Amino acid sequence: MKIRSGFVTNSSSTSFLIISQDDFDESTFLDLMGVRLDSPIASLFKQLFADIIQSSRRYDLSRVNEDDIGEHLFDGDLTPAMIERLKRAAKQGGKAYLGHLSSDENLIQTFFCTEAFEVESEAIYFNCLSCVW
Amino acid sequence: MIISLYSDSYGQNDYFICPRASLSIAELRARMLDRAKVNSGSYASGLIDCLYADIFIHSLDLKKDYTDFFEKEYEKFGEYLRKRMRFPREVVQELQVAFDISSAIYRFRPRFSFLNDEYGLEFLTTLIEDEPQERE
């Protein structure tokens, strides 16, 4: 019998979906999350924005066949409600960003892997509910 | 005054939050939300609210714990810190100073990963400290 001492670490990841009417930028994202530019927490959300852009795939929904959504496109992690949202956005020609954050990457992503939330403004819908921490 | 203790094998920090002024926790909450510069009702506002509750509602106030329950058992606050809490000597010395000038001493163990290291201390200082230090 082998005995191992020490501790075991778990890594985690969380999927996210962002739907926007247009391409969105850092200031729009900060506004969505309720962070002012001079906030001491702004750097945290700027890093999150950069990680989201880097770790996601962007879809131009105006080029997507609505019937393919949930069938050939975006299948897997999405809930029926998210698929319905994507179909609605496809009718309006919006953009979608689908990706995941990993707790192995940095402390910011580690934190957001422990969070489950859904936020929405007139321009952007951000779903980060697929957290399994 | 905020004292940081790099405490465990996971690299997790403990913080001792020692407000000098006798502010109510409602006033401390308002101060944190105001200094955080987040929009009311937003995700970020909820995040700061959670942080406030973690510190001022769910964390143990060592000063109150000592004076309410352990003053007869341990003659001095430092003895309570050493023997009951098993804090290292250098932290005990700092907390003894804080005892006389602070309205409370909250032992805060952050669950938010981004509150570790220098960023965490700087962030907490900006939000909570009686006289925020200027950022470099």
Side-chain angles (χ1 to χ4, degrees):
Chain A
M1 181 175 70
K2 291 182 180 178
I3 298 174
R4 176 177 174 163
S5 62
F7 57 86
V8 177
T9 58
N10 288 329
S11 60
S12 181
S13 66
T14 187
S15 301
F16 63 84
L17 169 69
I18 295 172
I19 300 173
S20 64
Q21 290 174 353
D22 301 300
D23 288 321
F24 73 110
D25 57 19
E26 185 183 87
S27 65
T28 311
F29 180 70
L30 292 180
D31 191 49
L32 172 74
M33 304 305 277
V35 180
R36 294 176 216 157
L37 285 173
D38 58 348
S39 166
I41 207 172
S43 61
L44 181 81
F45 283 86
K46 287 178 179 177
Q47 178 65 55
L48 175 63
F49 173 78
D51 288 354
I52 282 173
I53 294 299
Q54 191 173 6
S55 63
S56 63
R57 183 172 174 187
R58 174 185 173 281
Y59 296 87
D60 183 346
L61 295 175
S62 66
R63 297 170 181 271
V64 168
N65 184 341
E66 190 183 329
D67 294 331
D68 287 342
I69 295 175
E71 296 294 331
H72 309 297
L73 281 172
F74 308 110
D75 55 344
D77 291 337
L78 301 190
T79 63
M82 291 159 84
I83 290 170
E84 186 56 37
R85 274 203 171 257
L86 279 166
K87 287 185 174 180
R88 285 211 306 270
K91 286 178 182 162
Q92 298 167 351
K95 310 286 189 297
Y97 299 79
L98 186 66
H100 71 274
L101 302 171
S102 169
S103 64
D104 288 336
E105 291 296 323
N106 55 47
L107 289 178
I108 306 302
Q109 291 197 35
T110 300
F111 168 67
F112 283 99
C113 283
T114 66
E115 285 279 284
F117 59 91
E118 185 179 36
V119 287
E120 185 171 13
S121 68
E122 283 186 8
I124 304 178
Y125 169 73
F126 184 8
N127 184 312
C128 197
L129 292 174
S130 300
C131 172
V132 291
W133 186 266
Chain B
M1 180 190 294
I2 300 177
I3 299 163
S4 176
L5 171 63
Y6 190 75
S7 61
D8 65 22
S9 55
Y10 296 98
Q12 190 88 21
N13 282 68
D14 271 14
Y15 294 102
F16 300 97
I17 314 270
C18 317
R20 284 194 294 275
S22 294
L23 297 177
S24 69
I25 56 171
E27 289 170 320
L28 288 165
R29 175 176 180 265
R31 171 192 275 184
M32 286 178 71
L33 287 168
D34 182 52
R35 289 183 181 174
K37 298 177 181 172
V38 292
N39 297 333
S40 176
S42 67
Y43 171 82
S45 167
L47 190 67
I48 300 301
D49 235 355
C50 282
L51 180 58
Y52 147 78
D54 282 353
I55 296 171
F56 296 112
I57 295 177
H58 303 307
S59 294
L60 178 67
D61 177 354
L62 295 171
K63 182 168 182 173
K64 183 171 171 47
D65 189 50
Y66 171 67
T67 52
D68 284 359
F69 303 114
F70 294 101
E71 207 164 14
K72 288 183 180 171
E73 189 171 344
Y74 303 104
E75 191 179 342
K76 293 185 176 174
F77 184 56
E79 192 182 349
Y80 157 83
L81 296 173
R82 275 196 312 276
K83 294 183 177 173
R84 178 168 176 77
M85 308 308 287
R86 298 181 178 276
F87 291 152
R89 188 169 297 276
E90 58 272 21
V91 171
V92 170
Q93 286 173 349
E94 287 190 77
L95 291 176
Q96 278 179 309
V97 173
F99 185 84
D100 294 328
I101 60 173
S102 305
S103 57
I105 300 175
Y106 297 96
R107 183 189 187 184
F108 170 51
R109 315 191 85 172
R111 63 188 170 99
F112 297 165
S113 57
F114 64 86
L115 286 176
N116 275 323
D117 303 328
E118 285 181 17
Y119 177 84
L121 181 59
E122 183 185 334
F123 183 72
L124 291 171
T125 300
T126 304
L127 257 59
I128 297 168
E129 189 62 281
D130 292 310
E131 295 171 3
Q133 295 163 358
E134 294 293 326
R135 285 167 176 246
E136 289 182 0

